[in-house]
Amino acid sequence: MTELPPPAAKKLGLVIDLDTCVGCHACATNCKEWNTGGHLGPLPDFNAYSAGAEGVWFNRVHSYEAGEGEEGRTVHFPRSCLHCETPSCVTVCPTGASYKRAEDGIVLVNTDTCIGCGLCAWACPYGARELDEDEGVMKKCTLCVDRIYNETIPEPQRQPACVITCPVGARHFGDLGDPTSKVSRLVAERGGYDLMPEMGYAPVNKYLPPREKPPMRAHSLEEAAPTGMDIKNPLLRWLDRALSR
């Protein structure tokens, strides 16, 4: 079984804003695009354009309805590896293929030593492990480790593919071990939380909850309709009087 390294001071991870995510799947698509030729690519698709499409996806987006009536809303919930501080997927691995990096806390899989036994997938409560049936090995989100440390890429673009492509800025990347970082401040200000904290795996990635809707104020027809004195243009004011006779 694989041992965990000592807790890292640097904890790279994602903060996902559930209030902002619109469920467009751009994160999932660009993740797939980057990782087709990246660190753990290629990622296979089976029957990609027909019924029963299957394949390896490091990012998935689930949409569901929450609440009822005026309190109801659609919530889009992106899901990927949470790079837990004490990941069970690592400790159950019989070959050491699944491991957690001491320098930044990223959880990875060494495909050269993975035997595809699936123990890590059974141990992960978040469903973040993917079996590549073409290669017979387990794969997962790498936080685009081959991108975030790539000095040939302009520094502003050294972020995970899912973050750089999000059109509404719902995904944020940074060091959650640094309380002064942008992502740590977001978590503190918005009440960010762990997914399934009762499992005890201490996920590094956090979710920001949907904001509360402002109370709706009823307007009467008389209050909503403009009066003649509200119309500034003299010609339009005359026309309003003429049509109101």
Side-chain angles (χ1 to χ4, degrees):
M1 301 301 175
T2 310
E3 294 185 0
L4 294 172
K10 187 176 184 180
K11 301 174 184 178
L12 295 183
L14 302 174
V15 173
I16 300 174
D17 192 342
L18 299 180
D19 188 68
T20 307
C21 178
V22 295
C24 67
H25 292 258
C27 56
T29 302
N30 203 34
C31 169
K32 183 82 167 182
E33 180 70 20
W34 175 261
N35 285 290
T36 293
H39 180 65
L40 290 179
L43 304 185
D45 283 313
F46 307 102
N47 304 318
Y49 304 104
S50 62
E54 297 179 359
V56 174
W57 294 83
F58 294 163
N59 269 284
R60 299 179 186 270
V61 182
H62 306 281
S63 299
Y64 61 93
E65 299 298 319
E68 297 181 0
E70 293 184 355
E71 300 300 321
R73 67 189 302 161
T74 301
V75 177
H76 304 288
F77 194 89
R79 176 179 60 84
S80 62
C81 175
L82 303 176
H83 299 276
C84 301
E85 293 193 49
T86 55
S88 61
C89 60
V90 169
T91 55
V92 302
C93 181
T95 66
S98 185
Y99 66 99
K100 185 174 179 68
R101 286 161 49 117
E103 61 268 35
D104 53 21
I106 298 176
V107 178
L108 295 174
V109 178
N110 182 350
T111 56
D112 291 334
T113 55
C114 176
I115 58 175
C117 66
L119 281 175
C120 59
W122 296 335
C124 174
Y126 306 111
R129 295 294 177 124
E130 300 272 338
L131 174 63
D132 185 335
E133 296 186 10
D134 282 355
E135 297 186 22
V137 297
M138 303 303 295
K139 295 183 176 181
K140 61 178 291 298
C141 163
T142 67
L143 280 181
C144 291
V145 68
D146 55 334
R147 182 185 181 97
I148 61 178
Y149 290 113
N150 191 337
E151 296 184 357
T152 66
I153 297 176
E155 188 170 355
Q157 297 182 27
R158 293 177 202 167
Q159 301 182 64
C162 63
V163 174
I164 203 73
T165 197
C166 181
V168 294
R171 304 175 74 94
H172 308 270
F173 170 71
D175 182 6
L176 285 148
D178 177 4
T180 65
S181 68
K182 175 187 173 183
V183 285
S184 293
R185 293 198 305 269
L186 268 175
V187 171
E189 293 167 4
R190 292 276 309 281
Y193 61 89
D194 293 348
L195 182 61
M196 298 166 60
E198 68 276 7
M199 300 299 295
Y201 299 130
V204 172
N205 288 10
K206 309 295 181 190
Y207 288 92
L208 304 180
R211 296 177 177 88
E212 292 186 9
K213 292 183 178 180
M216 297 182 65
R217 189 169 70 91
H219 297 277
S220 66
L221 292 177
E222 292 78 9
E223 182 184 9
T227 65
M229 296 306 297
D230 293 328
I231 302 174
K232 305 302 182 184
N233 188 302
L235 177 60
L236 295 179
R237 198 161 54 238
W238 171 85
L239 184 59
D240 178 73
R241 287 198 305 268
L243 295 175
S244 299
R245 291 174 181 169

